[in-house]
Amino acid sequence: MEREPCSTQYHIAKDASVIRHRKTFQTSTPSTDKTPNKDGNLTEETNGSFSRKRRKSSNSAEPTSRGFLLLVAGLSFSTRLFKIKEPPHVCWDETHFGKMGSYYINRTFFFDVHPPLGKMLIGLAGYMSGYDGTFPFTKPGDKYEHHIYWGMRGFCAGLGSFLPIFAYLIVLELSHSHTAALIAAWLLIFDTGCITISQYILLDPILLFFIMAAVLSMVKFNQQKDRPFTAPWWFWILLTGVNLAGALGVKFVGLFVILLVGLNTVSDLWRLLGDLDLSLVDVTKHLLARVVALILLPVFLYFTIFAVHFVVLNKSGPGDGFFSSAFQSRLIGNNLHNASMPEYLAYGSTITMKNLRIAGGYLHSHWHLYPEGVGAKQQQVTAYLHKDYNNLWLVHRHNDTNSQSEAPDLVRHGDIIRLEHKETTRNLHSHLHEAPLTAKHFQVTGYGINHTGDSNDLWRVEVCGGRKGDPVKVLRSKVRFLHKAIGCVLFSSGKTLPKWGWEQVEVTCSPYLKETPSSQWNIEDHVNAKLPNISLSVLKPHFLEILMESHIVMIRGNSGLKPKDNEMNSKPWHWPINYQGLRFSGVNETEYRVYLLGNPVVWWLNLASLGLYLILVAVASVAFQRGISVGQKRRGHCFVLMRGGGLLFLGWLLHYVPFYTMGRVLYYHHYFPAMLFSSMLTGITLDFLLNMADLLLRPPYCDWLQRVGKVLFLVIVLFSFYLFHPLAYGMTGPLAHEPGSSMVGLKWMETWEF
């Protein structure tokens, strides 16, 4: 960690003081910089001059930089790949993402709330390492036995190993200080949380890799501002766009780094607009280049990720039921694939109706009655998530008892119809009795027999977005059924009925008429011998339609995520203080226990540095505003603190604050993107403090203080890692509160559950 000695800084400050007393500015060579700001403010000229000097210094220290980078890379890969096969059983969310990797290998369609890139890469890693996709990933704790799982774990750990490397390079670019860069990398290398999150088959290390790669590409591109439209300039801006697509392609959290790059780009364009040496044509070229590289290229790559996803997953699987019938018709093995049926709904047809909410189910009935005390003791009507004969219904005119002899007139928007359950011959019926589970909703039953019933069996057909007289299209139309007498709408609540309802989904008649997926249905199966059939291949949605539907389903699924029973979820304020971790494996002393918890020394140092950073920036800003002279050298350090640190602080805010607005369930691991920015900011903040050592002591004592501070920092972080490393690499035997435990005396907070 090479630095200019304090004695040199002292003479520089002294010389600068002499120049200020002469009130002249001498230069031995012509300069493009303007006159320095007499108030001591950081002008663009000062910033540019400082950056050029630091770049020259950086170039002279290339061997040192390479040496530190090799050290960081060696430590990072060794800490992440150590004991990568342990434990040899499914841990935490490996049960989801390992299974999804298997689905890609088997080309089986599934549903997940995240975009597909991360799971595709996991599947590819498994396939390339010899995994055959046959392990079921049923639940945490299942033994892998002879199955090859290390390839998927190794891939995630490899990407996670790049995080300290990227942090080193990012901070080095922003500060031109090996000390700051090494501090940031050291914090991440020896953080038990970062190690744990990287060692398993999860999306997080893949997401973090793309986020950090995007930030590194962005700061590298910023360094090319004096060389526009050169090969390196194009390389870094295009690579930024690629990494943005990668981040968003893994999780929607990638939107936060897109926002960070977007704000940086707006600031950059604003600077260019104020450069009077550039014509408006030049500014327009810069704008178009950024539109192509940072908008069009990421959008194209993001669409390409989904195109590959849809091509690979072409077989029917567990995800079918989350999507529309038209979507399912493209999946091999689905009953709608290559099927043929009438295109428009008609009277006399036999149909199934699927609710459009996630897991809304098919409209269903059976011979069982509602129990005593649950509305009227009539036949149950539910929503069932699987294909079944009891999902079939006959469509009749409202005033006909037998529509089998009728001409096949089409059902149209505004028609009044009667729906008869084929198996039991009872009509779909509602009345003013309360629904079983949902308050203020009305009960839906099966009533009447052999074509008899009453006025409460009548429903008005409404095609969403349609007009009176529009026909109902099979698979494509979103249809609502409004009860003619009450005025409520047929509704799937998503709530599971008790055992008397066979744990199927409650169907109600809702008095709230707002269009929602819960009140929308589509016609899936359709049989009518009097109508010509058409191949469903002509009704298959095109790419943009299935892309849009996939995103609607993912967004609904994300917002509807609720904590599972006994599952640990947390609040955003818990995260920076390391309030509570996550069990990855094991509970009792006989099991192999892994606990996701950040190294408390690292996390609390990051938290303290956030507050310290704000104080230092405030003090520096007041000093510059008041025109207090701090010297050229210190002005440069303040520039790094405010500009480089400001970018990282903004990254921390963007990746942390939005979680306070989210209604979905949140977990501890959601903080890790923000933690990366916090650690890099700590590197710049602590380096700034070390650079200010000469304010406390005169040479050579300030130099000694700096060296002691660096060594003390490295040793404390390393020793804390030694204490807490069993959390990441696994432990057996007594628990932390029991004698003989490897973690005895280390449960510093009651909320830690190791």
Side-chain angles (χ1 to χ4, degrees):
M1 293 184 285
E2 292 186 352
R3 293 178 36 80
E4 201 167 349
C6 287
S7 56
T8 305
Q9 298 176 20
Y10 171 78
H11 290 303
I12 290 174
K14 184 176 179 181
D15 293 342
S17 176
V18 171
I19 291 173
R20 281 194 303 274
H21 279 92
R22 292 174 182 170
K23 299 187 181 295
T24 60
F25 182 71
Q26 301 172 357
T27 177
S28 58
T29 57
S31 172
T32 57
D33 293 347
K34 298 176 184 178
T35 305
N37 190 315
K38 62 183 177 63
D39 295 325
N41 290 333
L42 288 178
T43 63
E44 191 66 33
E45 293 77 11
T46 300
N47 300 345
S49 175
F50 175 76
S51 297
R52 285 191 292 274
K53 290 176 183 176
R54 296 304 295 264
R55 279 198 292 271
K56 289 177 183 177
S57 174
S58 177
N59 291 336
S60 66
E62 277 299 319
T64 303
S65 179
R66 282 196 295 269
F68 281 144
L69 189 59
L70 288 174
L71 173 66
V72 168
L75 290 173
S76 185
F77 275 92
S78 60
T79 52
R80 270 69 179 167
L81 295 175
F82 180 63
K83 297 182 73 172
I84 194 66
K85 292 185 178 181
E86 298 295 331
H89 60 246
V90 178
C91 292
W92 195 50
D93 271 359
E94 284 188 328
T95 186
H96 299 303
F97 302 119
K99 183 186 298 181
M100 293 169 187
S102 299
Y103 285 145
Y104 278 105
I105 294 173
N106 297 314
R107 306 192 67 177
T108 303
F109 187 77
F110 67 93
F111 163 71
D112 186 41
V113 297
H114 306 298
L117 179 60
K119 283 94 65 178
M120 281 198 290
L121 293 175
I122 288 171
L124 179 62
Y127 178 78
M128 297 295 289
S129 60
Y131 171 59
D132 59 6
T134 57
F135 185 73
F137 288 96
T138 305
K139 65 183 184 303
D142 288 350
K143 299 288 186 182
Y144 283 116
E145 297 177 340
H146 64 279
H147 294 277
I148 300 174
Y149 63 94
W150 56 264
M152 292 181 283
R153 278 192 183 175
F155 169 73
C156 293
L159 294 186
S161 300
F162 278 98
L163 302 181
I165 299 172
F166 288 162
Y168 178 86
L169 294 173
I170 290 168
V171 175
L172 187 62
E173 285 293 330
L174 292 175
S175 67
H176 302 284
S177 166
H178 297 296
T179 301
L182 190 58
I183 289 172
W186 200 260
L187 291 170
L188 295 181
I189 288 170
F190 295 111
D191 177 56
T192 51
C194 284
I195 293 173
T196 306
I197 205 75
S198 299
Q199 284 197 310
Y200 297 93
I201 306 171
L202 303 172
L203 297 185
D204 299 87
I206 308 174
L207 170 69
L208 298 176
F209 172 87
F210 281 115
I211 288 176
M212 292 291 278
V215 175
L216 176 61
S217 303
M218 178 185 71
V219 298
K220 286 282 190 180
F221 171 72
N222 288 344
Q223 296 297 327
Q224 304 296 322
K225 63 183 178 182
D226 297 329
R227 305 165 60 196
F229 305 109
T230 60
W233 188 92
W234 277 111
F235 173 78
W236 289 115
I237 192 174
L238 290 173
L239 189 59
T240 303
V242 170
N243 288 317
L244 292 179
L248 186 60
V250 176
K251 280 188 176 183
F252 288 128
V253 171
L255 286 169
F256 301 150
V257 76
I258 290 176
L259 183 56
L260 176 65
V261 173
L263 292 174
N264 178 80
T265 303
V266 170
S267 174
D268 192 29
L269 288 172
W270 186 251
R271 177 187 61 82
L272 291 171
L273 187 62
D275 187 348
L276 300 183
D277 292 333
L278 294 178
S279 67
L280 288 179
V281 173
D282 293 330
V283 175
T284 302
K285 289 179 181 178
H286 277 277
L287 173 63
L288 291 177
R290 286 159 175 78
V291 168
V292 170
L294 301 179
I295 297 178
L296 297 182
L297 176 62
V299 168
F300 170 76
L301 293 176
Y302 185 73
F303 282 14
T304 302
I305 291 167
F306 275 89
V308 174
H309 169 72
F310 294 137
V311 168
V312 173
L313 301 185
N314 63 350
K315 297 179 182 178
S316 178
D320 295 16
F322 292 94
F323 291 82
S324 69
S325 306
F327 187 102
Q328 295 179 43
S329 68
R330 48 178 295 279
L331 298 173
I332 298 171
N334 190 284
N335 68 311
L336 298 176
H337 181 69
N338 288 337
S340 60
M341 63 180 64
E343 182 176 7
Y344 296 102
L345 179 64
Y347 293 103
S349 295
T350 301
I351 62 172
T352 62
M353 295 181 293
K354 185 176 184 297
N355 189 260
L356 297 189
R357 69 168 287 141
I358 295 174
Y362 295 90
L363 188 65
H364 176 95
S365 190
H366 41 233
W367 288 104
H368 302 280
L369 306 181
Y370 285 102
E372 197 73 42
V374 181
K377 196 174 180 181
Q378 297 176 5
Q379 185 169 295
Q380 296 176 17
V381 172
T382 65
Y384 190 48
L385 299 179
H386 305 284
K387 311 271 186 181
D388 189 81
Y389 184 78
N390 279 327
N391 299 342
L392 296 176
W393 298 81
L394 298 172
V395 183
H396 297 289
R397 293 181 186 275
H398 71 280
N399 54 0
D400 285 331
T401 58
N402 188 352
S403 58
Q404 297 299 317
S405 60
E406 300 170 358
D409 291 340
L410 300 183
V411 177
R412 300 182 181 275
H413 179 102
D415 283 6
I416 305 298
I417 66 170
R418 179 168 55 86
L419 291 169
E420 178 187 316
H421 189 243
K422 185 172 183 180
E423 171 67 11
T424 63
T425 72
R426 296 229 161 90
N427 300 321
L428 185 69
H429 177 98
S430 187
H431 44 223
L432 294 176
H433 292 272
E434 289 187 0
L437 302 178
T438 305
K440 299 182 180 179
H441 284 216
F442 302 112
Q443 183 186 35
V444 174
T445 68
Y447 179 74
I449 193 166
N450 294 326
H451 317 300
T452 63
D454 62 23
S455 60
N456 282 330
D457 302 339
L458 304 182
W459 303 82
R460 186 172 74 252
V461 177
E462 181 183 280
V463 179
C464 296
R467 295 177 296 179
K468 186 172 178 61
D470 287 350
V472 177
K473 298 178 181 179
V474 173
L475 299 183
R476 307 298 285 275
S477 292
K478 297 178 181 179
V479 184
R480 302 206 308 162
F481 298 94
L482 280 79
H483 195 264
K484 186 173 184 294
I486 303 175
C488 53
V489 62
L490 192 65
F491 189 90
S492 173
S493 70
K495 298 176 181 177
T496 302
L497 292 168
K499 291 189 181 298
W500 58 256
W502 304 93
E503 297 182 339
Q504 296 175 9
V505 178
E506 179 193 39
V507 169
T508 69
C509 198
S510 171
Y512 307 107
L513 302 184
K514 181 181 178 181
E515 287 189 7
T516 66
S518 296
S519 65
Q520 295 172 333
W521 306 76
N522 75 285
I523 311 303
E524 184 166 293
D525 296 290
H526 182 211
V527 177
N528 192 318
K530 299 179 181 179
L531 290 175
N533 291 336
I534 64 166
S535 172
L536 292 187
S537 60
V538 303
L539 300 179
K540 285 181 182 177
H542 54 71
F543 172 72
L544 290 180
E545 286 179 313
I546 60 176
L547 180 69
M548 181 65 70
E549 180 176 350
S550 295
H551 281 76
I552 292 172
V553 173
M554 284 190 293
I555 291 169
R556 287 178 189 163
N558 241 316
S559 61
L561 284 176
K562 305 297 180 188
K564 307 181 185 82
D565 291 340
N566 301 319
E567 188 174 37
M568 202 154 315
N569 60 89
S570 58
K571 302 182 186 303
W573 68 266
H574 292 172
W575 305 337
I577 63 175
N578 219 20
Y579 181 78
Q580 193 175 48
L582 268 172
R583 284 199 191 99
F584 265 42
S585 172
V587 177
N588 58 52
E589 61 185 28
T590 62
E591 297 175 321
Y592 193 94
R593 303 188 303 279
V594 177
Y595 190 70
L596 175 66
L597 184 74
N599 182 333
V601 172
V602 171
W603 284 55
W604 293 341
L605 180 60
N606 283 344
L607 181 61
S609 294
L610 284 168
L612 184 60
Y613 171 78
L614 294 175
I615 294 171
L616 292 174
V617 168
V619 170
S621 300
V622 170
F624 291 138
Q625 190 66 22
R626 295 296 300 168
I628 299 174
S629 179
V630 295
Q632 183 76 10
K633 187 76 172 179
R634 290 201 188 97
R635 270 210 302 274
H637 292 312
C638 291
F639 169 67
V640 169
L641 182 75
M642 298 172 73
R643 291 292 296 272
L647 179 67
L648 297 175
F649 184 72
L650 177 61
W652 176 80
L653 285 176
L654 292 176
H655 286 82
Y656 176 55
V657 173
F659 286 102
Y660 282 93
T661 67
M662 294 184 185
R664 56 154 289 174
V665 61
L666 298 173
Y667 300 107
Y668 174 67
H669 68 98
H670 287 141
Y671 184 66
F672 277 86
M675 183 268 179
L676 298 179
F677 287 95
S678 179
S679 297
M680 291 188 287
L681 181 59
T682 299
I684 286 181
T685 304
L686 294 186
D687 181 57
F688 179 84
L689 287 178
L690 290 172
N691 283 322
M692 297 298 109
D694 60 332
L695 293 176
L696 300 176
L697 297 173
R698 298 182 62 183
Y701 305 110
C702 63
D703 218 15
W704 298 350
L705 179 61
Q706 289 175 351
R707 290 170 184 166
V708 170
K710 295 172 190 176
V711 172
L712 195 61
F713 165 80
L714 298 177
V715 170
I716 289 175
V717 172
L718 188 59
F719 183 67
S720 66
F721 171 71
Y722 167 75
L723 293 177
F724 287 93
H725 78 274
L727 297 179
Y729 296 127
M731 50 192 168
T732 55
L735 303 179
H737 62 277
E738 299 172 349
S741 170
S742 58
M743 301 300 294
V744 67
L746 294 176
K747 191 177 179 183
W748 297 346
M749 296 184 71
E750 285 299 319
T751 48
W752 296 349
E753 298 183 322
F754 52 77

